[in-house]
Amino acid sequence: MKAYTEMTKEELEKELADVREEYERFRLMDLHLDMSRGKPCKEQLDLSMGMMDALNSSVDLSCEDGTDCRNYGVIDGIEEAKVLIGDMMENSPDNIIIYGNSSLNVMYDAVSRAMTHGILGNTPWCKLDKVKFLCPSPGYDRHFAITEYFGIEMIPVPMTEDGPDMDMVEELVSKDEAIKGIWCVPKYSNPQGYSYSEETVYRFAHLKPAAADFRIFWDNAYGIHHLYDHDRAFIPEILAECKKAGNPDLVYKFASTSKITFPGSGIASLATSPNNLEDILKQLSRQTIGHDKVNQLRHVRFFGDISGMVEHMRKHADVIRPKFEAVLDCFDRNLLGLGIGEWTRPMGGYFISFETMEGCAKEVVHMAKKAGVKMTEAGATWPYHNDPKDTNIRVAPTYPTLEDLRMAAELFTICVRIVSAEKILATM
Amino acid sequence: MKAYTEMTKEELEKELADVREEYERFRLMDLHLDMSRGKPCKEQLDLSMGMMDALNSSVDLSCEDGTDCRNYGVIDGIEEAKVLIGDMMENSPDNIIIYGNSSLNVMYDAVSRAMTHGILGNTPWCKLDKVKFLCPSPGYDRHFAITEYFGIEMIPVPMTEDGPDMDMVEELVSKDEAIKGIWCVPKYSNPQGYSYSEETVYRFAHLKPAAADFRIFWDNAYGIHHLYDHDRAFIPEILAECKKAGNPDLVYKFASTSKITFPGSGIASLATSPNNLEDILKQLSRQTIGHDKVNQLRHVRFFGDISGMVEHMRKHADVIRPKFEAVLDCFDRNLLGLGIGEWTRPMGGYFISFETMEGCAKEVVHMAKKAGVKMTEAGATWPYHNDPKDTNIRVAPTYPTLEDLRMAAELFTICVRIVSAEKILATM
């Protein structure tokens, strides 16, 4: 098919009539499909059912060092969990705190702590007139929700295939002391599936922020979440790079097993420098006596070691790879060459990012919803839900069944075609 | 034996020589005993090992309403956990949020949220010049550690057998808008084991605080932690009383299963009014996607219902009752009538509170430590670790074995006798 922009008015009107007809057929099917959130599907959850057998009443719930995991204590996590998660994060166990079930909670608490107590002796952010964060956009809506909740001004920074626009990042952080942080999803980014280039990581490690309490919030949510054995993304380890650059305290790095075992019942962690750890542990020891060590032990016993976890991630990939491919096949089949949308082709992570023509994203999501397919709300991937060109839609292929997903993707492309055709016709 | 204060100098010198000799015999034994923290002992932890079998890989991890506990979602807890914990707390499931593993964490977050965002639209506490809390003392050190960490001024309020001095509480909160909260352990209080009287609870519910954002932090940590089937403490339910008094939003009530199943691997909860719940859920939904639902389900499946939990608590009582009695027997045998100390006789909870003669508590704890028996640091039960008369020592009988405990209690009474005799002799 020709690109829409090359069609005559008559051709485009014919095309619009055809896809509207298709849309009506879908509406009659009374669909209830959900491509909105990055949730694992049932088959993925089933992969971790063995974890429910890792501990039972005849098993000794003690650590290698003799700690009884059933009792109080061990604020920073049991040693064997630090080793496992350290291997997962490519960090030394000595740089790690194991938390509860949610890395988002760890990030929220990091911002909250900086608000009330400051970072490493600097002024608490709540005492400052203005606190700003850089927000590579499109990005993760729940990151932006945290900074918005704390009244932190969010400055969008364009994302490229290599990561955030580092010229802009360097310029801004070096000049403005009010800029205290940046949200990063460095590998298989949410929503694009981009992985930061070596140069990007290197430039992050060498940042010279005006604010002494500037921190990179490095959410390595998809560190081992590859779709393929070949073509895996490798990025330099940020703590090591910061240390080499003489900036050891520059980064808070987050990860969890939420999309490895069970979301909500995994373990989350923070890796950072000894200075930052000491600062954080002062607060953490006021906040809790310790996190769930039995669940830490359960993870360790289930996986054995990192090779067990890597093998486990292959099984996840086998379940969700066909889903990513089904969506991409559908986009290719129905949209390629039409000049009305672009989309990413991730090698890992949980999302595909779709860019419509300007001013079409909201309407596409709205049309899909009317026909029973729920997408992430348009705009959600931008700070303040404000996508300035109204182009970005996050597509989450993991949760629906393959059959449902094919249907949903098909309908989505129909919505894109209708909205785009209407848009172009309106200018003819 | 006569009271020390009735002894002649010679009699007291003879007594001191005798107990010093006994002390030296203990020192030679190279003890390493711990009566410092309210930790369950191994036998208590063993009682909950069956919980490790409550879920396994062949069990359906879905709620009654079909929610898959393995996946994301359900910010306020699964319904059946709310029912179970609601029965435990004597609150409607509709008034409850189920959190992670630590009620201390829930309390910390409640204070932190009030600091950064205020309560129900009132000014965030971090924007105020002064924030104060009332601290019934002696009290729980970790409560005081939270308010101290946030720079909140702590005002001690005397504790009586019926609860805090309510004349003083009413007077202070009605006059001073800077007073934003009070820490309460209403049943089997930490460290005395006192339970608030009906009148005390009633007067709490009818408080008329100057501050609209004053909240009672009602830490019902030992709600079902009775030592005896008879003589159980009953106190009126505070949410219901507040509602009846026209003060529905006055209280945050906290509880957990930390001392029911496994400390660190239990579930914590908050019960409060619909207005407060709405306020809190706004924040909570920024902080996390949800807490550990699998662990919630594990608790529900293990206990079945509240009657299962009550039966379980009887087994706890059977393990720790002899420990409380051993300590009290020892105190009676070695100290009764000497006029050098007073102690409580709790019917539940985790502690016995000991009052030395003025100016003796620190030295008693120090002497015990030198002989290998660790007690809670003297002063810890008061705000800023400042016990104005240096009299209070918290005794935690649950963790050591009965044999160790007998030894530790014996040594403790010897230390009390030595320090008291020295004190009196110095004034003769």
Side-chain angles (χ1 to χ4, degrees):
Chain A
M1 203 186 290
K2 277 204 267 195
Y4 275 22
T5 44
E6 287 166 19
M7 288 187 183
T8 62
K9 192 173 176 193
E10 290 64 36
E11 283 171 329
L12 198 50
E13 277 168 347
K14 170 70 171 59
E15 160 73 3
L16 180 57
D18 288 351
V19 284
R20 276 184 175 154
E21 203 172 301
E22 284 190 64
Y23 180 75
E24 287 312 315
R25 252 189 292 127
F26 270 95
R27 285 201 69 169
L28 291 175
M29 295 165 72
D30 191 29
L31 300 175
H32 296 280
L33 308 176
D34 191 339
M35 286 206 297
S36 72
R37 301 301 316 177
K39 287 170 72 168
C41 63
K42 188 182 172 305
E43 290 68 31
Q44 288 179 273
L45 300 174
D46 288 344
L47 296 174
S48 298
M49 281 306 283
M51 193 170 70
M52 294 294 97
D53 299 330
L55 304 181
N56 62 55
S57 63
S58 358
V59 161
D60 182 4
L61 302 185
S62 300
C63 297
E64 284 161 32
D65 70 5
T67 302
D68 189 338
C69 288
R70 303 172 302 176
N71 221 327
Y72 284 114
V74 193
I75 187 82
D76 54 348
I78 64 173
E79 185 59 25
E80 42 265 67
K82 287 196 204 175
V83 169
L84 175 64
I85 301 300
D87 284 341
M88 175 185 111
M89 295 178 79
E90 304 174 328
N91 292 110
S92 160
D94 295 341
N95 287 112
I96 284 179
I97 298 174
I98 307 286
Y99 279 81
N101 73 323
S102 158
S103 59
L104 192 76
N105 198 328
V106 184
M107 293 176 230
Y108 176 100
D109 283 8
V111 172
S112 186
R113 179 177 53 245
M115 292 299 292
T116 56
H117 288 81
I119 291 176
L120 281 178
N122 291 282
T123 307
W125 294 355
C126 73
K127 302 289 183 198
L128 302 174
D129 290 335
K130 195 75 176 170
V131 176
K132 304 175 190 172
F133 255 59
L134 301 185
C135 299
S137 300
Y140 180 32
D141 56 348
R142 291 189 188 270
H143 286 165
F144 303 156
I146 290 174
T147 27
E148 182 172 6
Y149 181 68
F150 282 98
I152 293 171
E153 184 184 321
M154 297 185 280
I155 304 169
V157 172
M159 269 293 286
T160 75
E161 284 191 35
D162 290 328
D165 178 335
M166 289 309 292
D167 290 342
M168 185 171 169
V169 170
E170 286 166 349
E171 162 102 8
L172 288 169
V173 304
S174 67
K175 283 190 178 161
D176 188 349
E177 214 187 343
I179 296 176
K180 301 297 188 188
I182 181 168
W183 289 117
C184 294
V185 182
K187 204 191 256 191
Y188 304 132
S189 66
N190 179 348
Q192 306 89 346
Y194 293 155
S195 296
Y196 291 10
S197 70
E198 191 182 323
E199 189 196 329
T200 299
V201 177
Y202 185 85
R203 289 172 75 177
F204 264 115
H206 285 79
L207 279 181
K208 301 269 172 270
D213 51 354
F214 174 90
R215 291 291 177 277
I216 304 165
F217 284 64
W218 196 261
D219 182 5
N220 203 16
Y222 310 108
I224 60 170
H225 301 55
H226 312 288
L227 286 174
Y228 301 92
D229 269 346
H230 60 88
D231 280 333
R232 286 176 296 158
F234 285 97
I235 61 173
E237 200 292 305
I238 187 68
L239 258 71
E241 291 304 314
C242 286
K243 196 171 175 184
K244 283 191 261 178
N247 274 332
D249 301 329
L250 193 61
V251 65
Y252 293 153
K253 181 176 171 184
F254 307 93
S256 81
T257 68
S258 289
K259 290 187 179 89
I260 296 174
T261 57
F262 295 151
S265 305
I267 53 179
S269 63
L270 169 73
T272 191
S273 69
N275 282 340
N276 286 332
L277 284 178
E278 193 190 336
D279 197 38
I280 292 165
L281 283 169
K282 254 185 258 167
Q283 176 262 327
L284 193 60
S285 62
R286 301 302 197 293
Q287 188 179 26
T288 185
I289 305 173
H291 296 102
D292 186 344
K293 295 186 297 299
V294 170
N295 203 34
Q296 293 171 25
L297 191 69
R298 183 178 288 119
H299 277 73
V300 170
R301 297 269 172 91
F302 177 53
F303 288 119
D305 60 21
I306 186 62
S307 72
M309 196 185 271
V310 166
E311 190 50 46
H312 184 78
M313 293 311 290
R314 280 211 185 90
K315 297 177 194 160
H316 275 286
D318 288 343
V319 174
I320 63 176
R321 193 187 317 108
K323 297 188 176 185
F324 275 81
E325 291 175 348
V327 170
L328 294 172
D329 282 355
C330 172
F331 288 2
D332 285 350
R333 198 168 1 92
N334 295 348
L335 298 174
L336 208 61
L338 299 190
I340 57 174
E342 292 181 351
W343 54 95
T344 58
R345 298 180 178 278
M347 308 306 262
Y350 264 65
F351 303 102
I352 295 165
S353 183
F354 192 94
E355 291 285 324
T356 65
M357 293 170 60
E358 282 199 33
C360 292
K362 274 207 175 67
E363 183 56 25
V364 167
V365 169
H366 180 65
M367 281 203 77
K369 189 177 176 185
K370 278 199 302 182
V373 173
K374 195 176 163 198
M375 313 287 303
T376 308
E377 189 202 340
T381 54
W382 282 76
Y384 309 108
H385 286 233
N386 176 24
D387 177 356
K389 296 184 177 168
D390 184 26
T391 58
N392 186 250
I393 299 171
R394 186 179 78 165
V395 179
T398 57
Y399 186 68
T401 63
L402 196 52
E403 192 185 2
D404 283 354
L405 187 70
R406 286 202 178 103
M407 195 96 77
E410 197 74 26
L411 175 77
F412 175 78
T413 59
I414 289 166
C415 295
V416 171
R417 288 163 72 175
I418 293 174
V419 175
S420 307
E422 287 173 343
K423 183 91 183 171
I424 297 168
L425 281 168
T427 65
M428 274 179 165
Chain B
M1 203 186 291
K2 280 204 266 196
Y4 275 21
T5 44
E6 288 166 17
M7 287 185 186
T8 63
K9 191 173 178 194
E10 290 65 36
E11 282 172 328
L12 198 51
E13 276 169 347
K14 170 72 172 59
E15 160 74 3
L16 180 57
D18 287 351
V19 284
R20 275 186 177 153
E21 204 172 298
E22 284 190 64
Y23 182 74
E24 285 314 313
R25 254 189 288 127
F26 271 95
R27 285 203 66 170
L28 292 174
M29 293 165 72
D30 193 30
L31 300 175
H32 296 280
L33 307 177
D34 192 338
M35 286 205 296
S36 72
R37 300 301 316 177
K39 287 169 71 169
C41 64
K42 188 183 171 305
E43 289 68 32
Q44 288 179 272
L45 301 173
D46 288 344
L47 296 174
S48 299
M49 282 306 283
M51 194 170 69
M52 294 294 96
D53 299 330
L55 305 181
N56 62 55
S57 63
S58 356
V59 162
D60 182 3
L61 302 185
S62 299
C63 296
E64 284 160 33
D65 70 3
T67 302
D68 189 337
C69 287
R70 304 172 301 176
N71 220 328
Y72 284 114
V74 194
I75 187 81
D76 53 350
I78 63 174
E79 185 59 23
E80 44 264 68
K82 285 196 204 176
V83 169
L84 175 65
I85 301 299
D87 285 339
M88 175 184 108
M89 296 178 78
E90 306 174 325
N91 293 109
S92 158
D94 294 342
N95 287 112
I96 284 179
I97 298 174
I98 307 285
Y99 279 80
N101 72 322
S102 159
S103 59
L104 192 76
N105 198 329
V106 184
M107 294 176 230
Y108 176 101
D109 283 8
V111 173
S112 187
R113 177 178 55 245
M115 292 298 294
T116 56
H117 288 80
I119 291 176
L120 281 177
N122 290 283
T123 307
W125 296 354
C126 73
K127 301 289 183 199
L128 302 175
D129 289 335
K130 195 72 173 174
V131 175
K132 304 176 191 173
F133 255 59
L134 301 186
C135 299
S137 302
Y140 179 31
D141 57 346
R142 290 187 189 271
H143 285 164
F144 303 157
I146 289 173
T147 26
E148 182 172 6
Y149 181 68
F150 281 99
I152 293 171
E153 185 185 321
M154 297 185 280
I155 303 169
V157 172
M159 269 294 285
T160 75
E161 283 191 34
D162 289 329
D165 177 337
M166 290 309 293
D167 290 342
M168 185 170 169
V169 170
E170 286 166 351
E171 161 101 9
L172 288 169
V173 305
S174 67
K175 285 192 176 162
D176 189 350
E177 212 187 346
I179 297 176
K180 300 297 189 189
I182 181 168
W183 289 118
C184 294
V185 183
K187 203 191 259 192
Y188 305 133
S189 66
N190 179 349
Q192 305 90 345
Y194 293 155
S195 295
Y196 292 10
S197 70
E198 192 181 324
E199 188 196 332
T200 299
V201 177
Y202 185 84
R203 289 173 74 176
F204 263 115
H206 285 79
L207 279 181
K208 300 269 172 274
D213 52 354
F214 174 90
R215 289 294 177 275
I216 303 166
F217 284 66
W218 196 261
D219 182 6
N220 202 17
Y222 310 110
I224 58 170
H225 300 56
H226 312 288
L227 287 175
Y228 299 94
D229 268 346
H230 60 86
D231 280 332
R232 286 176 294 158
F234 285 98
I235 62 174
E237 201 291 306
I238 187 70
L239 259 72
E241 292 304 315
C242 286
K243 197 172 175 185
K244 284 190 261 176
N247 273 332
D249 301 330
L250 193 60
V251 65
Y252 293 153
K253 180 175 171 184
F254 308 93
S256 82
T257 67
S258 289
K259 289 185 179 89
I260 297 174
T261 57
F262 296 151
S265 304
I267 53 179
S269 63
L270 170 73
T272 192
S273 69
N275 281 340
N276 286 332
L277 283 178
E278 192 190 336
D279 197 38
I280 291 166
L281 283 168
K282 255 186 255 165
Q283 175 262 328
L284 193 60
S285 62
R286 301 301 198 293
Q287 188 178 25
T288 184
I289 305 173
H291 296 103
D292 186 343
K293 295 187 296 299
V294 170
N295 203 34
Q296 293 171 24
L297 190 70
R298 183 178 290 119
H299 277 71
V300 171
R301 297 270 172 92
F302 178 53
F303 287 119
D305 59 21
I306 186 61
S307 71
M309 196 185 270
V310 166
E311 191 49 48
H312 184 77
M313 292 312 288
R314 282 213 183 88
K315 296 178 193 161
H316 276 286
D318 289 342
V319 174
I320 63 175
R321 193 188 316 109
K323 297 187 178 187
F324 276 80
E325 291 176 348
V327 170
L328 294 171
D329 283 352
C330 173
F331 287 3
D332 286 350
R333 198 168 2 91
N334 296 346
L335 298 174
L336 211 60
L338 299 190
I340 57 175
E342 292 182 349
W343 54 95
T344 57
R345 297 182 178 277
M347 306 307 262
Y350 263 67
F351 303 104
I352 295 166
S353 183
F354 192 95
E355 291 284 324
T356 66
M357 295 169 57
E358 282 198 33
C360 291
K362 275 208 174 68
E363 183 56 25
V364 168
V365 169
H366 180 64
M367 280 202 77
K369 189 177 177 184
K370 277 200 305 184
V373 173
K374 195 177 164 196
M375 313 286 304
T376 308
E377 190 203 339
T381 54
W382 283 75
Y384 309 109
H385 286 233
N386 177 24
D387 177 357
K389 296 184 178 168
D390 186 25
T391 57
N392 186 250
I393 298 171
R394 186 179 77 167
V395 180
T398 57
Y399 186 66
T401 64
L402 196 52
E403 191 185 3
D404 283 354
L405 187 70
R406 286 201 177 103
M407 194 97 78
E410 198 73 28
L411 175 76
F412 175 77
T413 60
I414 290 167
C415 295
V416 171
R417 288 163 72 173
I418 293 174
V419 175
S420 306
E422 287 173 344
K423 184 92 182 170
I424 297 169
L425 280 169
T427 65
M428 276 180 165

